[in-house]
């Protein structure tokens, strides 16, 4: 009895059937790509950007020690000690003291708030803040180029301060505060047609910055 040959799907590929199935489900395929595109767009649009930086630190003293005292264990121990020093809280505290990270500037968006960093149209200088003012948003509005209004909620109480720009002012929350206008044209454009505050800033303690950033140092 002659055995029946088992058909191989790859050998009997029907192009017309494939195209027919493809046309029949073309709406679902297009819908899939549209949904995937929208998900990618929303993810990129409403996710905070993350940045990575790297550097190389050359410790020349180790090389000199190795030439003078060619002991590998000594050099390895000394290098490990320097690496631990670079990762120590005291060293990082000194580093963050020299970086402009104690004040964070934000612009209020429809979904997310954007940190402006060095693109902020204004910047502040301050002295002797009270403890309660750290890590809370202080909202800012500009009635005009010469005046600024601050709104802060401290101990569940909202307080409003009206100050002059480009000059030192005394407030109960900051011993001295100065608002420097860098780009009033942008401020006026952002505030146009908006009744609520468009900006806020936040003061950070150096100790909190060290705790926040040190886990990301490899």
């Amino acid at each position: 009895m002659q055995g029946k040959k088992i058909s191989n799907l790859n050998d009997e590929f029907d192009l017309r059937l494939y195209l027919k199935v493809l046309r029949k489900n073309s709406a679902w395929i297009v819908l899939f790509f549209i949904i995937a595109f929208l998900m990618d767009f929303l993810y990129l649009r409403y996710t905070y950007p993350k940045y990575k930086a790297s550097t190389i630190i050359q410790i020349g003293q180790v090389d000199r020690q190795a030439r003078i005292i060619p002991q590998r264990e000594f050099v390895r121990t000394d290098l490990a000690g320097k690496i631990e020093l670079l990762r120590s809280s005291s060293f990082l505290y000194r580093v963050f003291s020299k970086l402009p990270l104690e004040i964070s500037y934000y612009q209020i968006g429809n979904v997310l708030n954007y940190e402006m960093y060095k693109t902020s149209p204004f910047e502040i200088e301050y002295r002797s803040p009270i403890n309660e003012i750290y890590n809370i948003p202080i909202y800012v509005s500009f009635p005009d180029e010469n005046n600024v209004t601050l709104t802060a909620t401290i101990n569940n109480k909202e307080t409003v301060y009206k100050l002059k720009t480009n000059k030192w002012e005394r407030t109960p929350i900051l011993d001295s505060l100065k608002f420097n206008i860098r780009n009033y044209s942008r401020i006026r454009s952002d505030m146009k047609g908006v009744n609520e505050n468009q900006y806020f800033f936040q003061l950070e303690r150096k100790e909190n910055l060290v705790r926040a950033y040190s886990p990301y140092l490899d």
Side-chain angles (χ1 to χ4, degrees), residues 29-42:
I29 296 173
V30 172
L31 182 61
F32 170 80
F33 281 105
I34 291 176
I35 293 174
F37 174 79
L38 288 176
M39 290 178 65
D40 287 341
F41 172 79
L42 292 173

Side-chain angles (χ1 to χ4, degrees), residues 4-52:
K4 185 178 180 181
K5 183 179 179 182
I6 300 174
S7 63
N8 190 331
L9 181 62
N10 293 328
D11 294 338
E12 298 180 5
F13 178 74
D14 192 335
L15 179 60
R16 288 191 301 175
L17 178 61
Y18 174 77
L19 293 176
K20 182 178 179 181
V21 173
L22 189 64
R23 284 195 300 269
K24 185 177 180 180
N25 296 278
S26 59
W28 291 105
I29 296 173
V30 172
L31 182 61
F32 170 80
F33 281 105
I34 291 176
I35 293 174
F37 174 79
L38 288 176
M39 290 178 65
D40 287 341
F41 172 79
L42 292 173
Y43 176 80
L44 296 174
R45 174 64 178 82
Y46 299 114
T47 301
Y48 282 114
K50 294 182 179 180
Y51 304 96
K52 181 179 181 180

Side-chain angles (χ1 to χ4, degrees), residues 140-194:
V140 181
S141 63
F142 296 89
D144 54 58
E145 190 171 1
N146 300 314
N147 295 277
V148 59
T149 300
L150 307 183
T151 305
T153 302
I154 302 174
N155 297 326
N156 297 321
K157 181 181 179 181
E158 184 178 276
T159 310
V160 178
Y161 304 97
K162 296 184 178 182
L163 311 173
K164 296 292 184 181
T165 59
N166 300 313
K167 63 177 294 187
W168 285 100
E169 295 268 31
R170 297 181 66 88
T171 69
I173 57 176
L174 294 154
D175 180 63
S176 297
L177 176 64
K178 184 180 180 183
F179 259 84
N180 298 312
I181 303 295
R182 299 172 61 185
N183 187 348
Y184 186 70
S185 298
R186 176 184 164 186
I187 293 173
R188 185 172 52 190
S189 175
D190 290 341
M191 298 291 293
K192 189 178 297 182
V194 178

